[in-house]
């Protein structure tokens, strides 16, 4: 099962299009796009997207391990990815994440920025559709998995939308927010559905909930201490505005992403080293790292640190560098 299949690519356009689209539902996209919206678009948009994304993904991951629907058989399907092959198929969490992120972004921005409603709707639809089709092309899901994931995500988004502002306000102002944001996700991770064999779903879920927990604590802390907001008001209108704004956006993104990736690398090494010392295993022991008492704190602490740094430390660094 762990062997890579041999295949011949006959259409490189579709191959690279859908390989790229598949990456839009993975960690590299989350760890860049979600902070990007916080640094360059709007804090409220970023908060709402992260709330929806974490809830939708948790429900999707748990649903997989409760339903236990198998992925497409191979052969006849050729699978272009092997990491997630150990997971169950229904629902497609790529489809859920793409639907949740694209449409929550559209809903959150349509009243903040002036752009054609139809254009925003089409962009959200195209983004989510490309990710959904990539799961079929790569052989990782059936049509039913993808449709089920997209529909579940759409229903959850409709259910969450009426309470969107209330949840956001509570997370910003409640004195219980930091405790709630850490304890609840940890309890959910430690009580994740057990399987007869190891699957990366628990680790991925812990990563998502950890990142959301760290970011939520960061949102609350920024609100309590009135952290400076990002602004571009100092720029003059016209072409210089476009040029200066693009330079500023790129500078924020590269500085922020570098700090976030560095944080992830450092925290992975430190936390794994501490856990290895505590439970007496070499840090390269993959089987030991899959144990509940190791995997959950390892990934939760690492990615909650990433979320916190992205929302608190990076903005302070941007301000220090004159990028606010």
């Amino acid at each position: 099962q762990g062997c890579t299949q041999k295949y011949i690519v006959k259409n490189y356009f579709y191959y690279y299009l859908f390989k790229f689209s598949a990456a839009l539902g993975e960690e590299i996209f989350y760890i860049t796009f979600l902070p990007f919206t916080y640094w360059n678009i709007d804090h409220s948009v970023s908060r709402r997207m992260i709330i929806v994304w974490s809830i939708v993904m948790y429900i999707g991951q748990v649903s997989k391990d409760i339903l236990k629907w198998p992925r497409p058989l191979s052969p006849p399907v050729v699978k272009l990815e092997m990491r997630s092959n150990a997971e169950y198929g229904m629902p497609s969490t790529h489809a859920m994440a793409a639907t949740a992120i694209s449409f929550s972004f559209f809903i959150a921005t349509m009243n903040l920025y002036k752009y054609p409603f139809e254009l925003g709707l089409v962009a959200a639809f195209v983004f989510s559709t490309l990710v959904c089709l990539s799961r079929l092309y790569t052989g990782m899901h059936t049509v039913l998995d993808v449709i089920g994931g997209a529909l579940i995500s759409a229903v959850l988004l409709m259910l969450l939308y009426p309470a969107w502002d209330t949840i956001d306000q509570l997370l910003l102002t409640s004195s219980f927010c930091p405790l709630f944001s850490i304890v609840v996700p940890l309890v959910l991770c430690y009580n994740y559905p057990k399987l007869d064999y190891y699957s990366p779903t628990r680790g991925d879920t812990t990563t998502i909930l950890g990142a959301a927990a760290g970011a939520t604590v960061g949102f609350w802390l920024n609100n309590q201490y009135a952290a400076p907001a990002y602004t571009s008001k100092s720029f003059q209108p016209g072409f210089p505005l476009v040029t200066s704004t693009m330079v500023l956006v790129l500078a924020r993104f590269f500085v922020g992403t570098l700090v976030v990736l560095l944080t992830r690398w450092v925290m992975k090494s430190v936390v794994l080293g501490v856990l290895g010392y505590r439970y007496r295993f070499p840090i390269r022991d993959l089987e030991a790292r899959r144990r509940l008492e190791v995997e959950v704190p390892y990934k939760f602490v690492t990615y909650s640190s990433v979320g916190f740094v992205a929302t608190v430390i990076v903005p302070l660094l941007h301000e220090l560098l004159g990028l606010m």
Side-chain angles (χ1 to χ4, degrees):
Q1 290 183 346
C3 298
T4 303
Q5 292 175 290
K6 294 182 179 180
Y7 54 87
I8 298 174
V9 178
K10 295 183 178 179
N11 189 313
Y12 281 96
F13 173 76
Y14 288 142
Y15 177 78
Y16 287 113
L17 173 65
F18 290 125
K19 289 287 281 186
F20 173 77
S21 300
L24 298 178
E26 296 174 359
E27 181 185 345
I28 188 63
F29 175 74
Y30 303 144
I31 209 169
T32 53
F33 178 72
L34 293 177
F36 177 88
T37 62
Y38 188 76
W39 302 329
N40 292 298
I41 298 178
D42 189 272
H43 287 188
S44 65
V45 173
S46 181
R47 291 196 304 268
R48 286 161 172 74
M49 288 176 62
I50 289 174
I51 291 169
V52 170
W53 168 68
S54 58
I55 294 174
V56 165
M57 288 298 288
Y58 174 75
I59 292 174
Q61 295 284 76
V62 169
S63 298
K64 278 186 178 184
D65 290 340
I66 292 176
L67 293 174
K68 298 183 179 180
W69 286 23
R71 288 184 181 268
L73 292 176
S74 177
V77 169
V78 175
K79 296 184 177 179
L80 306 188
E81 299 175 13
M82 299 309 298
R83 177 190 176 276
S84 56
N85 196 38
E87 300 178 7
Y88 289 108
M90 178 66 164
S92 166
T93 46
H94 271 71
M96 293 184 72
T99 303
I101 288 176
S102 59
F103 282 94
S104 61
F105 181 80
F106 167 57
I107 294 169
T109 57
M110 66 181 181
N111 292 325
L112 291 176
Y113 299 96
K114 291 183 179 180
Y115 61 81
F117 175 86
E118 295 79 7
L119 178 63
L121 185 62
V122 169
F125 179 78
V126 169
F127 177 91
S128 56
T129 300
L130 280 174
V131 176
C132 290
L133 291 176
S134 75
R135 308 316 290 159
L136 302 178
Y137 182 87
T138 55
M140 301 312 297
H141 286 285
T142 65
V143 174
L144 186 60
D145 294 342
V146 169
I147 293 176
L151 288 178
I152 292 170
S153 186
V155 170
L156 289 172
L157 187 55
M158 287 189 291
L159 292 175
L160 288 168
Y161 178 69
W164 208 338
D165 293 335
T166 303
I167 295 172
D168 185 51
Q169 189 65 22
L170 284 173
L171 292 178
L172 286 179
T173 59
S174 173
S175 57
F176 295 102
C177 172
L179 182 64
F180 179 86
S181 299
I182 297 297
V183 172
V184 172
L186 270 176
V187 170
L188 293 175
C189 293
Y190 275 109
N191 290 278
Y192 192 83
K194 293 180 174 60
L195 297 176
D196 296 332
Y197 64 94
Y198 177 79
S199 168
T201 48
R202 185 184 64 202
D204 291 344
T205 305
T206 306
T207 294
I208 292 164
L209 294 185
T216 303
V217 173
F219 296 148
W220 179 86
L221 193 64
N222 287 339
N223 186 67
Q224 298 302 307
Y225 292 95
Y230 291 95
T231 179
S232 300
K233 292 181 180 178
S234 58
F235 296 114
Q236 299 298 318
F239 181 72
L241 170 65
V242 177
T243 306
S244 302
T245 302
M246 286 302 298
V247 171
L248 186 64
V249 165
L250 290 174
R252 289 173 181 169
F253 176 72
F254 285 119
V255 169
T257 302
L258 180 62
V259 173
V260 164
L261 293 177
L262 182 62
T263 300
R264 183 180 66 164
W265 177 73
V266 169
M267 292 306 298
K268 276 187 173 183
S269 302
V270 171
V271 176
L272 196 56
V274 171
L275 290 170
Y277 177 79
R278 168 66 178 81
Y279 292 107
R280 307 295 179 183
F281 68 88
I283 59 174
R284 296 185 182 275
D285 187 344
L286 185 60
E287 288 302 316
R289 288 162 60 173
R290 290 175 171 179
R291 286 154 42 189
L292 175 68
E293 65 272 20
V294 174
E295 184 177 56
V296 170
Y298 163 50
K299 296 206 168 184
F300 192 88
V301 173
T302 297
Y303 285 92
S304 60
S305 301
V306 167
F308 183 82
V309 165
T311 53
V312 176
I313 306 301
V314 170
L316 291 175
L317 181 59
H318 285 165
E319 184 181 19
L320 183 65
L321 296 174
L323 299 176
M324 296 297 281

